[in-house]
Amino acid sequence: MATKPTEPVTILSLQKLSLGTAEPQVKEPKTFTVEDAVETIGFGRFHIALFLIMGSTGVVEAMEIMLIAVVSPVIRCEWQLENWQVALVTTMVFFGYMVFSILFGLLADRYGRWKILLISFLWGAYFSLLTSFAPSYIWFVFLRTMVGCGVSGHSQGLIIKTEFLPTKYRGYMLPLSQVFWLAGSLLIIGLASVIIPTIGWRWLIRVASIPGIILIVAFKFIPESARFNVSTGNTQAALATLECIAKMNRSVMPEGKLGEPVLEKRGRFADLLDAKYLQTTLQIWVIWLGISFAYYGVILASAELLERDLVCGSKSDSEVVVTGGDSGESQSPCYCHMFAPSDYRTMIISTIGEIALNPLNILGINFLGRRLSLSITMGCTALFFLLLNICTSSAGLIGFLFMLRALVAANFNTIYIYTAEVYPTTMRALGMGTSGSLCRIGAMVAPFISQVLMSASILGALCLFSSVCVVCAISAFTLPIETKGRALQQIK
């Protein structure tokens, strides 16, 4: 039987095919990002130290801001000030804050968060101490304005915290930072109740400067943001920081080599108004402005209601006894009405309210999301401003103030977290800076509503606060981006 001849072409083709598949494949080296490293390392001892040190910036900021509320009655009496002059002190503090928020935000995105944080604390502590030697009202206003400029850089502490925290912990750890603001507020009120009646307001300012000076020393234990270092091309510094954190947390680094693109365009104002972020930016600005207006409105209105005893219209300006001035005539627009111990107690109780809703705020942020949680608390804030119009007892007033402080604090918690999360690394500090700057416009207007308009019409002032909160609630509900569970963006 004849066999079919083989086809050599086929054999040759198979040989060529086998030779082609035998060539070794070159594997690309593994790489990881800062986000991968932060998530792999996880939460640990470094983050606890970070939380305590960076969180303490809130203690210093609260003491410097709340200082105005407790010192206002004293300087009103000492320098025979009218209502608008007392309001101007707070307004100028926030004017300095507004201007330097943008400047510090730009510089932090270009030169580093840590450096700007350190400079802002040195600046604030220096001018705060100088304020205690102010020889006149004009000097007091100028020096407190300079303090406001320094305090505006404290938000870099929140950005450093945000950039080092793993995604699932941000919604829990950042709201807990409210504890530090509460501690600072309570501390300055407590110190004022003891120091002002005994050795005077100047010594209160000197004592209030001490925590900021101590914190400057503690900053050396916190590194520059690894995300910032990578964005500037300083990969070795970022890698060293991440390895140090992994060692401190007794964790491991991800396999491979740290590799992310160098971002030349950083801290550009135009990026905030880019089509992708335009709506978000504009609505965030409205919300920040409104929240600040409501927050400082509550603080100053509380002091004003207590100082003037305006509950239910029980006492008008004409009935307030004048004790200041050489003549002591009752026709003077100035008056001296110092806080009594009961007034300090009321301020402490209402201030404690800032932490009352914190557990619910944390649950809302993590389960309902940032947008819905913020819109709910803003709506409730509007309601309680209207309830403050009700003629009630002293206990009822304290109750309303307590809830208002709780709600406005929850609002600030949520918008701080949302703003830090929604922007990428290239413009995160600038986003926070511009938001903080717009926020201070609300804070600048608030004194004239709480300390001037409220003297003429409590109903008009409180209805204005309520209306602004309603606008903010709508803006929060319609924000285009939800950041719950979203990784921090490195580039836009």
Side-chain angles (χ1 to χ4, degrees):
M1 187 182 216
T3 58
K4 189 176 180 180
T6 57
E7 296 181 10
V9 175
T10 305
I11 296 171
L12 186 60
S13 299
L14 290 171
Q15 286 175 347
K16 285 182 179 180
L17 181 62
S18 71
L19 285 171
T21 55
E23 290 181 5
Q25 297 291 325
V26 178
K27 291 185 178 180
E28 293 185 5
K30 262 189 173 183
T31 60
F32 63 88
T33 64
V34 175
E35 181 72 22
D36 297 331
V38 168
E39 296 297 332
T40 302
I41 293 169
F43 187 84
R45 290 187 296 177
F46 168 79
H47 296 93
I48 294 172
L50 178 74
F51 176 74
L52 293 174
I53 295 174
M54 291 293 103
S56 296
T57 60
V59 174
V60 177
E61 186 173 353
M63 291 182 74
E64 294 293 357
I65 298 300
M66 286 293 294
L67 184 70
I68 304 300
V70 294
V71 167
S72 289
V74 191
I75 62 169
R76 185 199 299 267
C77 180
E78 182 171 325
W79 288 319
Q80 295 293 286
L81 305 179
E82 297 183 31
N83 291 338
W84 70 268
Q85 290 175 302
V86 177
L88 184 64
V89 176
T90 307
T91 296
M92 290 307 295
V93 169
F94 291 127
F95 175 76
Y97 198 121
M98 179 187 72
V99 173
F100 272 69
S101 282
I102 298 175
L103 178 62
F104 280 150
L106 282 166
L107 294 175
D109 276 333
R110 294 184 183 182
Y111 303 108
R113 286 82 161 100
W114 190 91
K115 292 174 186 173
I116 299 303
L117 183 64
L118 180 64
I119 290 170
S120 73
F121 264 81
L122 289 169
W123 180 302
Y126 175 71
F127 282 104
S128 185
L129 281 172
L130 284 184
T131 305
S132 67
F133 299 99
S136 65
Y137 168 73
I138 297 298
W139 271 107
F140 184 85
V141 172
F142 170 73
L143 292 170
R144 290 314 293 179
T145 303
M146 292 295 101
V147 173
C149 294
V151 170
S152 67
H154 292 189
S155 62
Q156 300 309 316
L158 175 76
I159 293 175
I160 291 174
K161 272 191 299 183
T162 303
E163 293 184 338
F164 275 124
L165 279 169
T167 302
K168 69 177 182 179
Y169 289 97
R170 290 201 304 265
Y172 295 96
M173 297 304 295
L174 295 179
L176 285 177
S177 299
Q178 185 64 28
V179 173
F180 295 99
W181 180 277
L182 172 68
S185 300
L186 293 176
L187 184 57
I188 195 66
I189 295 171
L191 288 172
S193 66
V194 175
I195 295 175
I196 289 179
T198 54
I199 54 178
W201 62 269
R202 295 179 187 274
W203 276 103
L204 175 65
I205 294 177
R206 291 163 193 158
V207 172
S209 303
I210 295 173
I213 296 169
I214 294 172
L215 206 53
I216 289 169
V217 179
F219 285 157
K220 69 176 183 179
F221 298 106
I222 299 299
E224 177 59 90
S225 166
R227 293 178 193 269
F228 171 78
N229 279 332
V230 161
S231 72
T232 60
N234 195 356
T235 308
Q236 288 303 315
L239 185 61
T241 297
L242 293 169
E243 287 173 345
C244 181
I245 295 171
K247 184 178 179 182
M248 191 171 177
N249 284 5
R250 296 176 182 174
S251 184
V252 294
M253 291 280 289
E255 294 182 5
K257 180 182 177 182
L258 177 62
E260 287 194 28
V262 177
L263 308 174
E264 297 292 343
K265 298 177 180 179
R266 303 187 310 275
R268 297 190 312 167
F269 188 79
D271 290 339
L272 293 175
L273 302 178
D274 183 77
K276 182 178 179 181
Y277 289 102
L278 179 60
Q279 183 184 346
T280 300
T281 296
L282 294 178
Q283 289 183 227
I284 282 178
W285 285 352
V286 170
I287 294 167
W288 271 93
L289 192 152
I291 288 177
S292 179
F293 179 66
Y295 182 83
Y296 292 105
V298 171
I299 291 175
L300 296 170
S302 301
E304 198 70 11
L305 289 169
L306 294 170
E307 184 185 345
R308 292 169 176 246
D309 193 19
L310 291 177
V311 183
C312 304
S314 59
K315 199 177 286 187
S316 65
D317 277 354
S318 60
E319 295 171 312
V320 179
V321 177
V322 179
T323 60
D326 296 331
S327 62
E329 295 178 0
S330 59
Q331 298 96 318
S332 170
C334 309
Y335 58 88
C336 295
H337 182 83
M338 301 301 180
F339 286 150
S342 59
D343 294 330
Y344 285 114
R345 284 195 296 271
T346 300
M347 290 181 73
I348 288 173
I349 292 170
S350 64
T351 301
I352 291 173
E354 292 200 8
I355 203 70
L357 291 181
N358 212 280
L360 289 177
N361 187 218
I362 291 172
L363 290 174
I365 286 171
N366 287 284
F367 292 99
L368 298 179
R370 280 56 161 159
R371 295 180 301 181
L372 182 57
S373 177
L374 181 57
S375 63
I376 290 172
T377 53
M378 285 303 307
C380 292
T381 306
L383 175 62
F384 272 90
F385 266 119
L386 293 177
L387 291 176
L388 205 57
N389 282 297
I390 298 173
C391 179
T392 183
S393 63
S394 178
L397 173 65
I398 293 172
F400 287 145
L401 292 174
F402 184 91
M403 282 305 300
L404 269 173
R405 290 294 288 269
L407 288 164
V408 292
N411 296 334
F412 252 130
N413 262 343
T414 311
I415 195 61
Y416 259 115
I417 295 169
Y418 182 84
T419 307
E421 290 178 334
V422 76
Y423 291 117
T425 301
T426 51
M427 55 181 181
R428 187 169 295 122
L430 180 59
M432 286 293 293
T434 52
S435 298
S437 181
L438 268 292
C439 160
R440 301 312 151 184
I441 294 178
M444 288 164 64
V445 175
F448 290 95
I449 306 302
S450 295
Q451 296 175 319
V452 180
L453 178 60
M454 189 167 282
S455 301
S457 172
I458 294 179
L459 177 63
L462 295 178
C463 285
L464 179 58
F465 282 122
S466 182
S467 300
V468 170
C469 290
V470 170
V471 172
C472 291
I474 296 170
S475 295
F477 188 75
T478 56
L479 281 166
I481 302 172
E482 174 57 71
T483 61
K484 186 186 83 164
R486 178 175 177 256
L488 292 182
Q489 307 297 299
Q490 188 70 6
I491 57 175
K492 66 173 186 156

